[in-house]
Amino acid sequence: EPLDRMANRIDSTLRALHPDVVLTWGPEGGYGHQDHRLVGDVVTQVFQSGAVGSARLLYVGFTADRIAGAPRWYGSRVYPTAQTLLTTRITFDEQDHEAARRAIACHKSQATEADMNESYTALTHLWNGVVAFQQWRGGPSMSKFF
């Protein structure tokens, strides 16, 4: 029931906003965080229902080479996405960077200041000025059936 409520809320929000693109976590949840995995699954479920229309669904991803030199993120391992799957890249500026820092600060009930600073440093390294995304492979087929 709680997941159904979440799906209904996401569905109604997306119907009201009519987004061109929706960004969420993929199956790995970035660093395995169970809430990230769950939200990404529910957002994908809403897309699978066909209710979102022509919006694109993208999952954030990090390549193995970016992860290799990165600090830990909330003390956890970050899971890689193959470079060939990361087909969309979005550059960001200092305002976006500061917005990310403010978003991380919202986790003060879940993490210490040191954890949040470490995570911000990790994201700065992982992004390196560009956030990479994998496009959801659901939706209408672009090729013939096998």
Side-chain angles (χ1 to χ4, degrees), residues 2-32:
L3 294 180
D4 287 341
R5 282 195 310 266
M6 182 191 303
N8 288 335
R9 187 168 180 190
I10 291 169
D11 180 79
S12 64
T13 300
L14 294 176
R15 285 176 188 267
L17 296 175
H18 304 287
D20 294 322
V21 175
V22 174
L23 310 174
T24 192
W25 293 104
E28 80 296 332
Y31 59 98

Side-chain angles (χ1 to χ4, degrees), residues 37-88:
R37 287 179 179 213
L38 189 61
V39 168
D41 286 348
V42 175
V43 170
T44 303
Q45 171 189 323
V46 170
F47 267 77
Q48 286 183 162
S49 75
V52 182
S54 63
R56 292 175 57 208
L57 177 61
L58 302 176
Y59 304 123
V60 67
F62 309 106
T63 60
D65 64 319
R66 293 304 308 163
I67 290 170
R72 296 189 55 88
W73 188 355
Y74 288 108
S76 300
R77 174 179 182 238
V78 178
Y79 295 93
T81 301
Q83 177 73 41
T84 57
L85 297 175
L86 298 172
T87 58
T88 301

Side-chain angles (χ1 to χ4, degrees), residues 74 94-108 116 120 123 127:
Y74 288 108
E94 191 55 37
Q95 284 183 307
D96 299 321
H97 210 232
E98 287 306 313
R101 189 168 190 74
R102 287 190 306 276
I104 288 173
C106 291
H107 293 81
K108 61 186 169 193
M116 289 186 286
Y120 180 74
L123 280 179
W127 287 340

